[in-house]
Amino acid sequence: MILSPHVVVWESTKACDFACRHCRADAIPHRLPGELSTEEAMGLIDQLAENDVKLFVISGGDALKRNDIFKLIEYSASRLRTALSPSGSRIDRAVAESIRSAGASAVSISVDGPQHVHDEFRGVDGAFSIASAAVYALHEAGVPVQINSTLSSYNINLLTELKETVLPLGPGFWDLFMIVPTGRATAAMALTQEQANAAMKAAVAWRAEGLQVRMTCAPYLIRVMSDAGVKPQKPDEKGRKSVNGARGCMAGNGYSFISYDGTVYPCGFLPMRAGSIRKNSFADIYGGGLFAGLRDSSLLGGKCGICNFRTVCGGCRARAYAYTGDLMAEDPLCDYNVQRMSA
């Protein structure tokens, strides 16, 4: 059996018109040489479809800065479920219609707080108005919209205001990302343990209200949801599964990230190269080496290695690496009083 992840995200370009303070991609205004060509991107899509990947997300930078993007969306959507994650800076009604016609199943737009917070965080005056206009254009074109919000020191004390900003935009889903200090993001932007816990408890309360809220880079939400009566599920052969918006760390375990030049990583926040699709097949890269180690919870160190939630949470591997240089170290953001897992 070919081992394959649920989700693959492709950083189609590093080019972007925004200058976000936390940018994982360390994006720049112009495209770089070395991007996958149209033909190479189609070959990658063929591999992912053959490997039964469930969702392909075309991201960036801003994917809309590629002049072949609609051709690639259309080709991908004919093979597997395909979503688009652009910056939002280039979406008007005509572009939204083109996205719908190409077959994208959904588009995610980032909104990080009220206008002054969002604009400061994204590094562009008027960024909030641009994002809002993009959301409304997508709604009018009939394209499902997901709102992504990065939780950081910029907005963590404004959770209620963030909610009141996002909900009127009418997202089908709202995904909260707990920032990881990589790319342009610094440790000063990161959450404290107390702030992280407050965010997770808020997400649980909002789900109880009926909101479709999920969290990313917050594997401990599995434990918080368990305390609320939602039983965690161990990964299946395709890796981590979401349980009421909560799931353990998916890096290399249900998820993979591919950079603009075809380099394969466990996730976009974990800068450890596993291989290149220009040299090896995606299936071979995902099936062994670095990825195999990430799927083996017995290799976890520190309290993550003895925790009774280690097989369903596992701690954020990108966060552990960012702070310690060891991707299997314990996650420093978790304050759980560990109950030792039986052998």
Side-chain angles (χ1 to χ4, degrees), residues 124-335:
V124 173
D125 289 340
F128 179 81
S129 296
I130 293 169
S132 299
V135 170
Y136 294 134
L138 290 163
H139 282 319
E140 290 172 1
V143 179
V145 175
Q146 173 177 304
I147 298 295
N148 294 337
S149 299
T150 298
L151 299 182
S152 70
S153 59
Y154 281 84
N155 61 6
I156 191 59
N157 295 321
L158 299 170
L159 286 176
T160 299
E161 291 86 345
L162 176 60
K163 174 187 172 187
E164 292 172 348
T165 300
V166 168
L167 293 189
L169 296 173
F173 286 94
W174 181 23
D175 206 332
L176 301 172
F177 289 73
M178 294 212 299
I179 196 167
V180 177
T182 189
R184 285 201 287 260
T186 66
M189 298 180 190
L191 307 182
T192 65
Q193 291 179 339
E194 293 76 14
Q195 290 170 335
N197 285 333
M200 290 186 290
K201 289 177 181 178
V204 171
W206 292 338
R207 286 197 67 88
E209 295 172 6
L211 303 183
Q212 294 297 310
V213 181
R214 301 185 289 210
M215 295 194 78
T216 297
C217 298
Y220 353 89
L221 183 61
I222 281 282
R223 169 175 52 82
V224 177
M225 293 295 292
S226 178
D227 292 342
V230 178
K231 184 178 179 181
Q233 296 178 5
K234 291 184 179 181
D236 62 13
E237 67 276 3
K238 292 184 71 68
R240 307 286 186 183
K241 295 184 289 185
S242 177
V243 184
N244 279 24
R247 61 192 173 207
C249 180
M250 291 181 68
N253 191 5
Y255 181 98
S256 180
F257 177 88
I258 301 172
S259 73
Y260 74 100
D261 64 357
T263 305
V264 181
Y265 297 87
C267 87
F269 303 108
L270 181 53
M272 296 192 70
R273 300 183 179 191
S276 171
I277 63 162
R278 283 175 163 158
K279 297 179 180 179
N280 299 100
S281 72
F282 177 80
D284 286 345
I285 296 170
Y286 188 79
L290 176 60
F291 285 91
L294 286 164
R295 291 189 286 269
D296 185 352
S297 61
S298 71
L299 299 179
L300 292 170
K303 70 178 185 180
C304 286
I306 62 171
C307 181
N308 53 311
F309 285 97
R310 75 177 187 187
T311 61
V312 292
C313 169
C316 176
R317 295 301 95 216
R319 191 170 285 115
Y321 182 79
Y323 283 97
T324 72
D326 178 0
L327 82 163
M328 302 307 283
E330 68 179 56
D331 184 336
L333 193 57
C334 179
D335 69 348

